[in-house]
Amino acid sequence: MEYNFRQIEKKWQQQWKNTEAYKVDNDFDKPKYYVLDMFPYPSGAGLHVGHPLGYIASDIFARFKRLKGFNVLHPMGYDAFGLPAEQYAIEHGVHPADSTKKNIETFEAQLNNIGFCYDWSRKVNTSEPNYYKWTQWIFLQLFQSFYNRTSHKAESIHALEEIFSKEGNKNHECPGNDAIKFSAVDWNNFSAKEKQDILMNYRLAFCGYGEVNWCEALGTVLANDEVVNGVSERGGFPVEKKKLRQWYLRITEYADRLLQGLETVEFSDAMKEMQSNWIGKSSGAEITFEIKSEQQKVKNFTAYTTRPDTIMGVDFCVLAPELDYILDITSCAQKEEVEKYIAYVKSRSERERMAEKRITGCFTGAYAVNPFDETKKIPIYISEYVLAGYGTGAIMAVPCGDERDFKFAQHFNIAITNIIGKYFDGETANPTKEATLENSGFLNGLQMRKAMEVVIEKLAESQIGKRKINYRMRDAAFSRQRYWGEPFPIIWKDGIAIPLDDSELPLLLPEVEKYGPGAHGEGPLSNIESWTERGLETNTMPGYAGSSWYFLRYMDPHNNTTFCAKNISDYWNQVDLYIGGTEHAVGHLLYSRLWTKILFDLGHLSFQEPFKKLVNQGMIQGSSRFVYRVIYNIEVNALDLSESMSEINKNKKDYLISKSLYDSLLKGNTENLIFTSIVEGLEKKYNSRGFKITVANIVPLHVDVNIVDGFELDIEKFKQWKNGEFANVEFILEDGKYICGTEVEKMSKSKFNTVNPDDLVERFGADTFRMYEMFLGPVEQSKPWDTKGIEGVHRFLKKLWRLFFDEIKGKVWNEDQPTDTDLKILHKTIQKIESDTERFSFNTAVSAFMVCVNELQDAKCHKKEILEKILVMLTPYAPHIAEELWHALGNVSSVLDAAFPVFEAKYIKESAKNYPVSINGKMRTNMKFSLDATQEEVQKAVLENEVIKKWIETNTVKKFIFVKGKMINIVL
């Protein structure tokens, strides 16, 4: 009976589907465990072998926890709205709803082919109305809430209106504009429009005007991480800065709680650091500087600094070029240069500006006045490294204490004031806080650390500044000028945003055959008359809207009365294990954490953090293969050719040289050898001599890894590849083979280094594929793919099969009682597999299975009692073969419902010890003794040993040393 994996896997996948083996009930009496994969976008390209890495890891752990007695939630769904789906639809001339549906079908079929234990009855799709109804509902909760800085939580905006009517906003500083101040009398006299404008500055979901990354070709705003080198990541289209009306989430109000929450979750230190850096909390002061300029249209600006102690060392100030008052302070002489520099900055993304190493900037012609020394005029520059959205968009520069300021001062020949004495050598800046201040007026003689508080108090006393905690993180842009996204449940009337009633949800995305950008940067919905007549918002929500809360909908996916019943979210609670790539390290995780905290504050959830433990899987990289095309020129000395030289060059053949010949040619060693075949080919055609071949170039070309066996190219398949583009090439081989070059790169269709998991499942089976992906290395690390190695894992499964069935004899398993050796092998394996799986060390667990099967084979163990338990442990890793053999042993129930075997230490406890026996400190032999043996018994046996007797001969034993459990030494 042979291992027919294809038949076995299809059989059990169908059986599990028919019996709803993976359907999960909200069984409140069982302990729960929630395992989740990061929300995938269903690409039209389908899966390659790099995609399932995290899915296999989560599947193994979900199955493991089920075997350990947990009620395991392991769902799957699709992040179907957003730019990728919209662009794919545009490029292929289809509606995004149709392309998304088709992509999901392909994606799902591939997942099922690998045998994942998803509960498909809980599947969600962000683009379906019964899902985005609740995305819209959650948005309205944010819109109708504000962050109460006194109670430190989200509360109803209506409660805030009540407060305003009684006491104004004296106890509730406006987060959107701290200059807004009013009394109860003022509030009660405001018009409806004025009140709503003020409330918009408090709402957690608010509308405003902001500078965004506008991509004309895509007709939409892009997030910062969608812009690379000034062009869109998708399509490579130009991106410019533009001011548009946008929706935002006031995530900055939750900055401290987002930082505090990191202390309660199991994220890697690197991940916590990434989140902390993105939030970027710092303490310092805001200082107001008076402006002296030709026009005097702007009187002052405010700069934020973390080092107020250095105020007397300010030698220049730098403003963000995009600030709307820059031209109002610019002198006539500098106007042209300033306008030119602003245009340059507008073409740059924030990522590029922050990463730029070159020093760029422009003097405005205006000056600032040091607030503590009115005689000191400070030149005002603009530079791309200062961003309008961080702090106030202005910095005070202290070159002696900051390296970037120092280089800027050197570049523009600005004089540097030394306020730290011997700590500044004039060559490099020193950010010390230990120096005693000099050249600092009223601060002279103070240590810098102590001077910070003195300056802050003085600023407040003089009303020219204040203490300030700042964050690098900015409020999150929450609208896109696209069609394929959730419509906002908002109607605009007389400039007031009016929320739809809950009963009007979902606000359906209108069905259109074609769509395009609206006028002046508005979304495609602005072109639909029936939409604009109602005054509906024409922007749509961004891709991360649906993915910010999807883990909650999995808990209660068919509820039509709420996004998730409270008793159900209380049961499933936090996601116990979240697995996904680091590409979502900042955006998605922060937004999910924000939405969870807001829903907690409003009483809809009982937990504040969505994900208890996060594991970031590494990337499976592509191992690319290359062929080497020779670009050569022909020179002919013979004159009797019937064809012209141009005709010869026009019709010359393509030659591909094998890898070692390519390497040799680069070293200049084998040019004549290589081109012998080219010359011979020309002589045959033209029956003449005198050809001179010169190499112009050798071009490496990516070749499809699926037509390469290891490194050897399948020449016949290559000639058929790309519709026969290479059908007539000539190959220059080494030892009769064409050997390809190789390089580890990102797995990508453009590099032809993707491998379709469907092909591998067909050749080797899903169980082999699952175990091989884990066997490649630690799940957190990136590693190159190598199809060649999968055969070893397949051989292991065949060897496992032979413990049960022989291809000739048939059944070989028996019901004999296990020996001590059998039990030792079993329990050693239980201990190892349980420990490795709990630690996500799946690669070492696969190795442990291989060791176990080898040991059982050596021990000729075919005993049912042992083999059954091996199959249960194997189920998370290779469920199909485990289920098949489980039933072959006579079991009626599914192995999925078996209990994970219990480790018993007594079976692996050693009863004897193999001792090294030394003479005068040099080991001469090994002897095995019972752990209970006495020194007398050991000494008698050792001295009678033939090897030891030979070494002692006529010498006298001076001392016999026996250290129990460690060693034996005879001193002669």
Side-chain angles (χ1 to χ4, degrees), residues 918-921 943 952 955-961 967-972:
S918 300
I919 296 179
N920 288 343
L943 295 178
I952 293 177
N955 293 299
T956 304
V957 176
K958 184 177 180 182
K959 186 183 289 186
F960 186 90
I961 301 169
M967 51 79 74
I968 298 167
N969 186 34
I970 300 169
V971 181
L972 301 182

mmCIF file of all heavy atoms in Angstrom, residues 918-921 943 952 955-961 967-972:
data_model
loop_
_atom_site.group_PDB
_atom_site.id
_atom_site.type_symbol
_atom_site.label_atom_id
_atom_site.label_comp_id
_atom_site.label_asym_id
_atom_site.label_seq_id
_atom_site.Cartn_x
_atom_site.Cartn_y
_atom_site.Cartn_z
ATOM 1 N N SER A 918 39.382 7.611 32.919
ATOM 2 C CA SER A 918 40.695 8.192 32.620
ATOM 3 C C SER A 918 41.772 7.580 33.502
ATOM 4 O O SER A 918 41.497 7.119 34.622
ATOM 5 C CB SER A 918 40.665 9.708 32.835
ATOM 6 O OG SER A 918 39.700 10.301 31.999
ATOM 7 N N ILE A 919 42.984 7.598 32.999
ATOM 8 C CA ILE A 919 44.160 7.195 33.781
ATOM 9 C C ILE A 919 45.118 8.368 33.770
ATOM 10 O O ILE A 919 45.525 8.842 32.701
ATOM 11 C CB ILE A 919 44.817 5.939 33.204
ATOM 12 C CG1 ILE A 919 43.842 4.750 33.301
ATOM 13 C CG2 ILE A 919 46.132 5.625 33.940
ATOM 14 C CD1 ILE A 919 44.383 3.464 32.735
ATOM 15 N N ASN A 920 45.398 8.859 34.966
ATOM 16 C CA ASN A 920 46.224 10.052 35.134
ATOM 17 C C ASN A 920 45.698 11.223 34.291
ATOM 18 O O ASN A 920 46.449 11.962 33.667
ATOM 19 C CB ASN A 920 47.680 9.772 34.777
ATOM 20 C CG ASN A 920 48.360 8.895 35.827
ATOM 21 O OD1 ASN A 920 47.857 8.763 36.949
ATOM 22 N ND2 ASN A 920 49.482 8.297 35.462
ATOM 23 N N GLY A 921 44.351 11.337 34.249
ATOM 24 C CA GLY A 921 43.708 12.478 33.587
ATOM 25 C C GLY A 921 43.457 12.310 32.114
ATOM 26 O O GLY A 921 42.825 13.169 31.486
ATOM 27 N N LEU A 943 38.619 -1.979 37.397
ATOM 28 C CA LEU A 943 39.941 -2.580 37.483
ATOM 29 C C LEU A 943 40.021 -3.949 36.815
ATOM 30 O O LEU A 943 41.110 -4.440 36.493
ATOM 31 C CB LEU A 943 40.377 -2.682 38.953
ATOM 32 C CG LEU A 943 40.566 -1.322 39.657
ATOM 33 C CD1 LEU A 943 40.944 -1.526 41.111
ATOM 34 C CD2 LEU A 943 41.635 -0.497 38.948
ATOM 35 N N ILE A 952 47.266 -0.242 33.097
ATOM 36 C CA ILE A 952 47.864 -0.253 34.449
ATOM 37 C C ILE A 952 49.124 -1.112 34.465
ATOM 38 O O ILE A 952 50.171 -0.717 35.000
ATOM 39 C CB ILE A 952 46.835 -0.781 35.485
ATOM 40 C CG1 ILE A 952 45.669 0.211 35.617
ATOM 41 C CG2 ILE A 952 47.503 -0.998 36.851
ATOM 42 C CD1 ILE A 952 44.572 -0.265 36.548
ATOM 43 N N ASN A 955 51.991 -1.026 37.152
ATOM 44 C CA ASN A 955 51.919 0.178 37.990
ATOM 45 C C ASN A 955 50.998 -0.044 39.196
ATOM 46 O O ASN A 955 50.116 -0.909 39.186
ATOM 47 C CB ASN A 955 51.403 1.352 37.180
ATOM 48 C CG ASN A 955 52.387 1.783 36.103
ATOM 49 O OD1 ASN A 955 53.501 2.170 36.396
ATOM 50 N ND2 ASN A 955 51.966 1.660 34.844
ATOM 51 N N THR A 956 51.196 0.781 40.179
ATOM 52 C CA THR A 956 50.381 0.705 41.399
ATOM 53 C C THR A 956 49.294 1.772 41.345
ATOM 54 O O THR A 956 49.555 2.925 40.998
ATOM 55 C CB THR A 956 51.247 0.944 42.653
ATOM 56 O OG1 THR A 956 52.307 -0.006 42.640
ATOM 57 C CG2 THR A 956 50.424 0.823 43.920
ATOM 58 N N VAL A 957 48.077 1.373 41.692
ATOM 59 C CA VAL A 957 46.973 2.347 41.755
ATOM 60 C C VAL A 957 47.108 3.135 43.041
ATOM 61 O O VAL A 957 46.966 2.604 44.146
ATOM 62 C CB VAL A 957 45.597 1.636 41.710
ATOM 63 C CG1 VAL A 957 44.476 2.662 41.878
ATOM 64 C CG2 VAL A 957 45.442 0.883 40.400
ATOM 65 N N LYS A 958 47.414 4.432 42.872
ATOM 66 C CA LYS A 958 47.594 5.298 44.042
ATOM 67 C C LYS A 958 46.255 5.784 44.573
ATOM 68 O O LYS A 958 46.034 5.876 45.787
ATOM 69 C CB LYS A 958 48.477 6.483 43.642
ATOM 70 C CG LYS A 958 48.835 7.408 44.791
ATOM 71 C CD LYS A 958 49.788 8.504 44.297
ATOM 72 C CE LYS A 958 50.159 9.441 45.421
ATOM 73 N NZ LYS A 958 51.052 10.532 44.933
ATOM 74 N N LYS A 959 45.335 6.133 43.604
ATOM 75 C CA LYS A 959 44.036 6.651 44.037
ATOM 76 C C LYS A 959 42.990 6.320 42.971
ATOM 77 O O LYS A 959 43.277 6.382 41.772
ATOM 78 C CB LYS A 959 44.102 8.164 44.240
ATOM 79 C CG LYS A 959 42.810 8.758 44.837
ATOM 80 C CD LYS A 959 42.888 10.279 44.944
ATOM 81 C CE LYS A 959 43.864 10.705 46.044
ATOM 82 N NZ LYS A 959 43.814 12.180 46.237
ATOM 83 N N PHE A 960 41.785 5.955 43.427
ATOM 84 C CA PHE A 960 40.655 5.705 42.506
ATOM 85 C C PHE A 960 39.597 6.782 42.780
ATOM 86 O O PHE A 960 39.027 6.851 43.880
ATOM 87 C CB PHE A 960 40.074 4.315 42.743
ATOM 88 C CG PHE A 960 39.003 3.942 41.731
ATOM 89 C CD1 PHE A 960 39.361 3.296 40.554
ATOM 90 C CD2 PHE A 960 37.668 4.251 41.941
ATOM 91 C CE1 PHE A 960 38.395 2.948 39.624
ATOM 92 C CE2 PHE A 960 36.709 3.918 41.014
ATOM 93 C CZ PHE A 960 37.064 3.255 39.838
ATOM 94 N N ILE A 961 39.392 7.650 41.782
ATOM 95 C CA ILE A 961 38.463 8.773 41.970
ATOM 96 C C ILE A 961 37.168 8.489 41.202
ATOM 97 O O ILE A 961 37.184 8.267 39.987
ATOM 98 C CB ILE A 961 39.069 10.099 41.457
ATOM 99 C CG1 ILE A 961 40.378 10.384 42.200
ATOM 100 C CG2 ILE A 961 38.083 11.251 41.611
ATOM 101 C CD1 ILE A 961 41.185 11.517 41.582
ATOM 102 N N MET A 967 32.408 11.313 36.212
ATOM 103 C CA MET A 967 33.637 10.751 35.655
ATOM 104 C C MET A 967 34.317 9.795 36.632
ATOM 105 O O MET A 967 33.994 9.731 37.813
ATOM 106 C CB MET A 967 34.613 11.876 35.277
ATOM 107 C CG MET A 967 34.891 12.902 36.369
ATOM 108 S SD MET A 967 36.062 12.422 37.646
ATOM 109 C CE MET A 967 37.568 12.547 36.721
ATOM 110 N N ILE A 968 35.289 9.036 36.036
ATOM 111 C CA ILE A 968 36.129 8.113 36.806
ATOM 112 C C ILE A 968 37.575 8.384 36.406
ATOM 113 O O ILE A 968 37.885 8.491 35.222
ATOM 114 C CB ILE A 968 35.768 6.644 36.489
ATOM 115 C CG1 ILE A 968 34.316 6.346 36.887
ATOM 116 C CG2 ILE A 968 36.740 5.683 37.182
ATOM 117 C CD1 ILE A 968 33.790 5.043 36.324
ATOM 118 N N ASN A 969 38.476 8.487 37.428
ATOM 119 C CA ASN A 969 39.890 8.715 37.132
ATOM 120 C C ASN A 969 40.749 7.842 38.047
ATOM 121 O O ASN A 969 40.511 7.770 39.260
ATOM 122 C CB ASN A 969 40.246 10.188 37.330
ATOM 123 C CG ASN A 969 41.673 10.490 36.884
ATOM 124 O OD1 ASN A 969 42.175 9.883 35.929
ATOM 125 N ND2 ASN A 969 42.337 11.404 37.570
ATOM 126 N N ILE A 970 41.725 7.177 37.429
ATOM 127 C CA ILE A 970 42.657 6.335 38.191
ATOM 128 C C ILE A 970 44.006 7.037 38.201
ATOM 129 O O ILE A 970 44.554 7.374 37.140
ATOM 130 C CB ILE A 970 42.807 4.942 37.550
ATOM 131 C CG1 ILE A 970 41.439 4.250 37.507
ATOM 132 C CG2 ILE A 970 43.830 4.097 38.305
ATOM 133 C CD1 ILE A 970 41.440 2.998 36.662
ATOM 134 N N VAL A 971 44.530 7.258 39.400
ATOM 135 C CA VAL A 971 45.847 7.884 39.544
ATOM 136 C C VAL A 971 46.856 6.780 39.851
ATOM 137 O O VAL A 971 46.708 6.034 40.823
ATOM 138 C CB VAL A 971 45.841 8.939 40.677
ATOM 139 C CG1 VAL A 971 47.217 9.589 40.789
ATOM 140 C CG2 VAL A 971 44.766 9.970 40.423
ATOM 141 N N LEU A 972 47.861 6.640 39.003
ATOM 142 C CA LEU A 972 48.900 5.604 39.172
ATOM 143 C C LEU A 972 50.118 6.188 39.854
ATOM 144 O O LEU A 972 50.515 7.326 39.560
ATOM 145 C CB LEU A 972 49.277 5.024 37.807
ATOM 146 C CG LEU A 972 48.147 4.371 37.003
ATOM 147 C CD1 LEU A 972 48.701 3.815 35.700
ATOM 148 C CD2 LEU A 972 47.490 3.255 37.802
#
